Amino acid sequence: MPARILILGGTGEAAALAHRLAREQPDAIVVTSLAGRLSAPPDLPGIVRVGGFGGVEGLIDYLRDNHINRVIDATHPFAAAISAHAGLACAALEIPLERIARPMWRRHHGDRWHWARDTAMAARMASALGRRVFLTIGAQELAPFAARGGPFYLVRLIEAPESRLPFRHYALVLGRGPFALEEERTLLAAFEIDLVVSKASGGKATEAKIEAARALGIPVILVRRPTGIDLASPRP
Ligand code: NAP
């Protein structure tokens, strides 16, 4: 039976993997699945499907109907629901599941990191610690910061939002990693940023903002990674 591989994607790692499999396993059928958060799916080799599966049951149906015999979870470290669904669905069908882990950034001398357990806590900390805050947390996570009014926010998103962001004082920059250190230093300096807020995503593509903050002595609030979602049936 030919390899029929499902990549759970939405990351640079997933895109790189799709390209690598196309080169190294040209006979394999490779499907990259995207949640559909961005307006235009990236140009990827193989098949690209977009949109949720409909929970664990929907994913089980998809895997079965499409005769998938290998699943690679290359989603973002904060995409806890889809990773949990993949674990349950693959276990139910006894399909091998691999996970591409993204290593967390290493702490270096000069780093001024503050940890937040979630974005609500990060927002409270940001209004206490910063006056001009670089917010690189994703379009889905802006609401807790918006509710606080407070500081000036420099918000970086991948795509332009459809309407004005709900901040009193803000500027918007659009960009998608990888980012270069010099570029990040220049941005932080140009906007006189005194605090960076980021998910503890890790990975090379977005590390430059952490390095730039270190170089400029700017504190960073890091939102902790989710520890996983327990979707299993309640224990007796
Ligand atoms: P999530 O909370 O784990 O997933 C929420 C729901 O979105 C899932 O239950 C699933 O819907 C659907 N979904 C998520 N990823 C999917 C995929 N690759 N293919 C098909 N359906 C998917 O995920 P999220 O944090 O909203 O992230 C969504 C996507 O954006 C992920 O693929 C992730 O790799 C990417 N991303 C996330 C972040 C982040 O900070 N969270 C950053 C960069 C990229 P159903 O239950 O209906 O199947």
Side-chain angles (χ1 to χ4, degrees):
M1 173 122 159
R4 299 180 67 93
I5 304 170
L6 175 68
I7 301 173
L8 297 169
T11 58
E13 291 91 335
L17 177 63
H19 284 282
R20 184 162 64 76
L21 289 174
R23 278 194 313 274
E24 294 178 1
Q25 296 190 43
D27 296 336
I29 294 172
V30 178
V31 182
T32 299
S33 176
L34 305 169
R37 302 281 187 266
L38 298 178
S39 59
D43 190 16
L44 294 172
I47 301 164
V48 176
R49 69 161 299 286
V50 181
F53 296 96
V56 181
E57 292 306 319
L59 181 54
I60 288 175
D61 290 344
Y62 178 88
L63 296 173
R64 194 187 284 125
D65 295 348
N66 291 278
H67 308 286
I68 300 295
N69 49 28
R70 183 179 168 198
V71 177
I72 305 174
D73 178 3
T75 57
H76 190 271
F78 278 71
I82 191 70
S83 292
H85 294 181
L88 290 175
C90 288
L93 296 177
E94 298 185 5
I95 296 174
L97 169 66
E98 294 145 64
R99 166 96 181 133
I100 295 194
R102 188 186 287 186
M104 179 46 193
W105 302 306
R106 280 190 45 221
R107 192 173 186 144
H108 290 266
H109 181 72
D111 278 325
R112 298 171 62 196
W113 290 0
H114 301 266
W115 288 95
R117 78 178 155 270
D118 54 28
T119 46
M121 183 174 173
R124 287 194 297 277
M125 291 164 69
S127 32
L129 292 175
R131 285 181 313 105
R132 298 182 64 81
V133 180
F134 184 31
L135 192 55
T136 62
I137 197 132
Q140 318 292 323
E141 314 283 357
L142 298 179
F145 296 88
R148 321 232 36 107
F152 163 86
Y153 285 105
L154 174 63
V155 183
R156 182 160 66 200
L157 300 177
I158 292 177
E159 285 190 332
E162 282 173 3
S163 51
R164 192 182 188 282
L165 296 179
F167 298 101
R168 210 148 30 108
H169 308 296
Y170 79 97
L172 177 66
V173 279
L174 300 180
R176 174 175 223 157
F179 300 100
L181 175 56
E182 223 20 70
E183 184 187 359
E184 297 291 61
R185 272 183 80 129
T186 304
L187 187 68
L188 296 185
F191 281 89
E192 298 175 22
I193 295 299
D194 61 10
L195 179 70
V196 173
V197 180
S198 169
K199 290 176 174 170
S201 306
K204 273 278 146 222
T206 53
E207 190 170 13
K209 65 187 167 194
I210 304 296
E211 295 169 334
R214 181 187 309 135
L216 296 169
I218 297 172
V220 179
I221 295 175
L222 290 169
V223 180
R224 286 191 190 283
R225 292 181 176 198
T227 48
I229 296 178
D230 183 8
L231 297 168
S233 320
R235 291 192 185 88

